[in-house]
Amino acid sequence: MHTLSPKTPGWLDWYRNPSTPAFRLPAGAVDTHCHVFGPQAAFPFAPERKYTPCDGGKEELFALRDRLGVARNVIVQATCHGADNSAMVDAVRSAGGRARGIATVRPDITEAELRELDAAGVRGVRFNFVRRLVDAAPTEALTTIARKIAPLGWHIVLYFEATDLPDLEDFFGSLPTALVIDHMGRPDVREPVNGPEFSRFLRFVDRNDAWVKVTCPERLTVTGPAALNGERRPYTDVVPFGRRVIEEFGHRALWGTDWPHPNLTDHMPDDGLLVDHVPHVAVTEEEQRRLLVDNPMRLYWPDEPR
Ligand code: 0GY
């Protein structure tokens, strides 16, 4: 057996005992952004990783799914596993049709390997531009990947910081597949929601018919998770941004937990509170149904009745 690496110093473990949400997710709700970490003993982390997480395997993910009242998961390959998709694929295969996967692949991937990932339930790849997570991949390599996955009907998940969008948006616009954007393009929530940064992001989404994940208030918040006056209304400074996305692109908005929450060192979210963030951004039953059920089903389970 290989030697197990210790967790990155300062890293917080995921929340073992999430509260029961006050908001009841509608039947069929999909968590479109979560990961599996290892377990390391079975699925070693990649040598090129920028962090070593605690374990967060498929059993724990499925337990959280059931506890929160989620029906399905989209499991996104985490950078700590590099381009070795085996932990993610194993989790997707084990979910009995209730999970899809987003992979990280290299440009030399073969058509046979892509078909195998597709058969397992993978429906897209993630291009990550967040410098603390990955060494930048050259755009030619990403263009090669994009060209290879397009015939499968897959999409590309983009993870970037809002400040990098001006440099990246022409490249993004050239990609041949549907685009799905992580965490609302990581806005600085101290800036006004009508300010230049988020307006530019919204224009980009509009121009490219992109899908947007209204995810990670715990990463974007400056004021923190505190409930207001004892009310379960967490991450209030992020609400206007999520709300704006739902108002403008409610038909292409997606939700997710981001469990097991990589790289958090100041606070670890209670996943129950993350569910209680939802009705503050999607305020009507119709908005909630689109965000949580209709949109993700259209993207990830288009053939499934709902
Ligand atoms: C997220 C966010 C982060 C990490 C990763 O794959 C990853 O390592 O996605 C982050 O550190 O912001 O979406 O999980």
Side-chain angles (χ1 to χ4, degrees), residues 22-74:
F23 174 64
R24 245 185 103 138
L25 291 169
V30 185
D31 175 351
T32 67
H33 192 93
C34 54
H35 312 283
V36 285
F37 298 153
Q40 190 182 169
F43 300 104
F45 298 123
E48 73 273 21
R49 69 190 180 279
K50 305 284 190 199
Y51 62 84
T52 302
C54 60
D55 281 340
K58 63 184 176 186
E59 280 89 9
E60 288 135 336
L61 173 64
F62 299 155
L64 178 76
R65 174 196 70 193
D66 297 344
R67 173 143 188 182
L68 296 180
V70 163
R72 294 177 170 85
N73 296 103
V74 181

Side-chain angles (χ1 to χ4, degrees), residues 235-250:
Y235 306 109
T236 42
D237 56 341
V238 187
V239 167
F241 292 81
R243 182 75 205 120
R244 186 62 181 273
V245 168
I246 300 282
E247 280 168 351
E248 293 204 23
F249 305 108

Side-chain angles (χ1 to χ4, degrees), residues 142-161:
L142 298 176
T143 303
T144 301
I145 294 169
R147 249 200 335 263
K148 287 187 176 184
I149 63 148
L152 292 159
W154 288 11
H155 59 262
I156 295 170
V157 174
L158 297 172
Y159 191 24
F160 58 88
E161 304 277 0

